[in-house]
Amino acid sequence: MTKKLFQEDVYRKDCESTILRVLGSGTAEDPFLLVLDRTVFFPEGGGQPCDLGTIDGITLTHVFEKDGEIYHRMLPMDQDDGGNSYIGGSSHTKRWDSGEKVLCVLDWNRRFDHMQRHCGEHILSGIFFRETGGVNRGFHMGSGYMTIDIDIPGITWEQAQRIEDLTNEVIWSNVPVTTRYFQDRSEAERLPLRKPLAIDDDISIVCVGEESNPADCVACCGTHPATSGQVGLLKIFRLENYKGMTRVYFNAGKDALKDYQNKHRIITVLNQKYSSDDNDLLDKMKVQDEKNREVRQELHLMKSTFIAKAAGEILESGADSGVVIREYPYFQVNDLLGIAKILNEHKFSTLAVLISTRENIVILASAGGHDCGKLVKDNAHVWGGKGGGNAAGARVMFSSRENLDCFITFIHQAFRKTRQS
């Protein structure tokens, strides 16, 4: 079995190892899997992603454990890594042999990021348990955030903020973080565990703070810093109900700092836009939203007036025509549909052709005199038109004004009584 050097020294960044076995052919479909006599790379497990780095300068793409063995999946030969190279080059032609000695180099930034975040999750889960009695039933470490599922529904934002404060107090107190290993559960169960053990042997217990009164004490196989202060900070983002529990979204360490920096950038831009500061930004946004609402109401009234006026003009001038064609350079398709609705309400049976020159869209309307949908289906495709509808109304869109004009010319020629304004 591979010796897990990360259990002896979580800060170790490299090691020399001997290849015990080589699996795979090195292709993209069947990449090399290396089994080493010892490794600094943590395999994926316990909700924590695996470590990455290089072996003899070649990019390591995944590390996982199966049946007690740790497998190191290597970048395929002569395959580009698509920009996901962590330390080494992007392609190679190297083959691997059993018995060969290799140099393993850890992507330390990734490792420390995981140490900060995972330890932050421990402390947060422990404080939730202490303050509410809620147990963490699920943990996910994603890109940009983490989640835990606390088996209590309806945790309030006020409760979560208090727990966040208490969590950060533990972080800033810089208490020791220790990992102890046990061969059987009897001795491990003497510790003040947050959750009952689910395994019987090869047990690792992580404790944050003194064992007599820890902030958290639970079985875990992940990597953690030596002290809580190295977590830096923890921030809860939001809460949501999830399968009768409360799902908590949060982050910790440098990822939480990056999130704050991004939000600060956004707030700074908004403050500049609204001539505000952090304290009155929301008030000024609320005032601006009210002004925008009033403007939208005025615009709606004005457009409704013009739509009614345009429909009235067609009703007055087009009743005896075979077709009425109108162009509207300032109307959008929804405005034309408003005109068509009024025409159909007045049982306007003459074919109305309404053109939005802004969008190269044609709306056809006729309350029984013509089948608008059939007209579009049978003819618009000749000029690349796309659309459809029913007997009372249809719409069709063209890729260019030239194609639209060809369709309009066809309609003009097809109806003898056309009168165009």
Side-chain angles (χ1 to χ4, degrees):
M1 295 179 64
T2 304
K3 186 175 184 179
K4 301 175 181 179
L5 298 178
F6 53 84
Q7 291 184 344
E8 300 176 357
D9 181 5
V10 75
Y11 295 93
R12 183 165 182 169
K13 300 178 177 65
D14 57 56
C15 73
E16 187 180 74
S17 303
T18 300
I19 298 177
L20 300 179
R21 286 200 299 146
V22 180
L23 291 79
S25 60
T27 65
E29 296 76 19
D30 184 31
F32 286 126
L33 296 177
L34 306 185
V35 178
L36 308 176
D37 66 333
R38 60 182 192 157
T39 184
V40 291
F41 301 112
F42 171 79
E44 181 179 36
Q48 179 175 320
C50 67
D51 287 332
L52 294 175
T54 61
I55 298 179
D56 269 6
I58 307 303
T59 300
L60 178 64
T61 63
H62 191 220
V63 185
F64 62 96
E65 187 170 8
K66 183 178 180 181
D67 298 329
E69 286 192 313
I70 296 178
Y71 297 88
H72 303 74
R73 179 178 294 146
M74 304 307 300
L75 184 74
M77 293 193 303
D78 296 323
Q79 296 289 321
D80 190 270
D81 66 353
N84 292 321
S85 177
Y86 290 90
I87 297 178
S90 61
S91 64
H92 71 95
T93 57
K94 179 179 176 61
R95 292 190 174 275
W96 310 92
D97 296 308
S98 297
E100 179 182 358
K101 291 191 177 299
V102 292
L103 177 63
C104 301
V105 179
L106 181 69
D107 180 348
W108 171 249
N109 289 332
R110 177 182 171 94
R111 156 71 69 80
F112 189 67
D113 174 68
H114 291 168
M115 289 166 56
Q116 287 185 304
R117 299 174 78 198
H118 203 159
C119 188
E121 176 271 322
H122 276 288
I123 301 171
L124 181 65
S125 297
I127 299 299
F128 262 112
F129 179 71
R130 188 186 76 188
E131 296 296 312
T132 69
V135 177
N136 176 6
R137 299 298 183 185
F139 167 52
H140 172 70
M141 184 184 292
S143 175
Y145 69 92
M146 293 183 284
T147 62
I148 54 175
D149 298 326
I150 304 298
D151 62 356
I152 295 179
I155 294 175
T156 67
W157 185 247
E158 290 73 20
Q159 288 176 299
Q161 284 187 311
R162 170 171 166 72
I163 289 170
E164 176 185 275
D165 289 339
L166 294 172
T167 298
N168 281 297
E169 287 179 9
V170 173
I171 292 172
W172 301 329
S173 65
N174 200 32
V175 297
V177 179
T178 57
T179 303
R180 293 178 59 187
Y181 300 95
F182 303 89
Q183 292 303 314
D184 60 72
R185 60 189 302 152
S186 59
E187 187 176 355
E189 288 178 331
R190 297 174 185 175
L191 298 175
L193 300 175
R194 167 165 51 91
K195 296 170 65 174
L197 292 175
I199 53 178
D200 295 320
D201 52 24
D202 194 19
I203 301 166
S204 57
I205 304 295
V206 174
C207 187
V208 181
E210 298 299 329
E211 289 184 0
S212 59
N213 186 29
D216 190 43
C217 186
V218 71
C220 179
C221 64
T223 55
H224 310 84
T227 60
S228 63
Q230 294 180 53
V231 175
L233 76 156
L234 181 141
K235 185 73 187 75
I236 296 176
F237 301 149
R238 65 187 175 98
L239 310 172
E240 70 178 23
N241 294 324
Y242 177 75
K243 296 183 178 180
M245 300 181 287
T246 300
R247 174 161 286 183
V248 183
Y249 290 78
F250 68 102
N251 218 331
K254 59 185 177 181
D255 270 23
L257 174 62
K258 289 178 182 178
D259 180 76
Y260 169 79
Q261 291 171 333
N262 182 54
K263 287 182 171 63
H264 178 74
R265 177 186 61 80
I266 294 171
I267 293 295
T268 299
V269 172
L270 291 174
N271 280 332
Q272 292 173 347
K273 177 179 179 179
Y274 290 98
S275 301
S276 63
D277 57 38
D278 293 357
N279 296 320
D280 64 357
L281 174 60
L282 294 179
D283 291 335
K284 291 199 173 184
M285 290 179 68
K286 184 177 180 180
V287 170
Q288 188 60 52
D289 286 344
E290 181 61 26
K291 290 181 180 179
N292 291 341
R293 186 184 67 83
E294 293 174 356
V295 170
R296 287 194 297 269
Q297 287 181 334
E298 292 178 4
L299 178 61
H300 176 72
L301 291 174
M302 292 175 63
K303 291 184 74 171
S304 297
T305 300
F306 281 107
I307 288 170
K309 183 177 180 181
E313 185 273 329
I314 293 175
L315 289 170
E316 291 179 4
S317 64
D320 297 328
S321 306
V323 63
V324 176
I325 301 175
R326 295 290 186 270
E327 288 190 8
Y328 299 99
Y330 303 111
F331 277 166
Q332 294 178 320
V333 62
N334 286 337
D335 305 322
L336 302 189
L337 291 172
I339 297 174
K341 181 180 178 182
I342 295 174
L343 296 180
N344 286 332
E345 288 174 350
H346 285 78
K347 309 300 182 183
F348 186 75
S349 59
T350 301
L351 178 63
V353 182
L354 314 175
I355 305 168
S356 170
T357 57
R358 295 177 60 183
E359 301 172 300
N360 285 335
I361 292 178
V362 177
I363 300 295
L364 304 182
S366 178
H370 306 276
D371 190 332
C372 300
K374 187 175 187 303
L375 182 60
V376 168
K377 180 180 179 181
D378 292 346
N379 302 284
H381 65 89
V382 176
W383 299 280
K386 297 181 179 180
N390 54 35
R395 75 170 76 184
V396 57
M397 176 183 291
F398 295 92
S399 60
S400 68
R401 180 58 196 264
E402 180 181 2
N403 289 342
L404 185 151
D405 287 340
C406 290
F407 179 67
I408 297 301
T409 299
F410 161 76
I411 293 178
H412 186 276
Q413 294 174 348
F415 295 87
R416 299 294 184 181
K417 297 181 180 180
T418 300
R419 183 180 68 192
Q420 183 175 0
S421 300

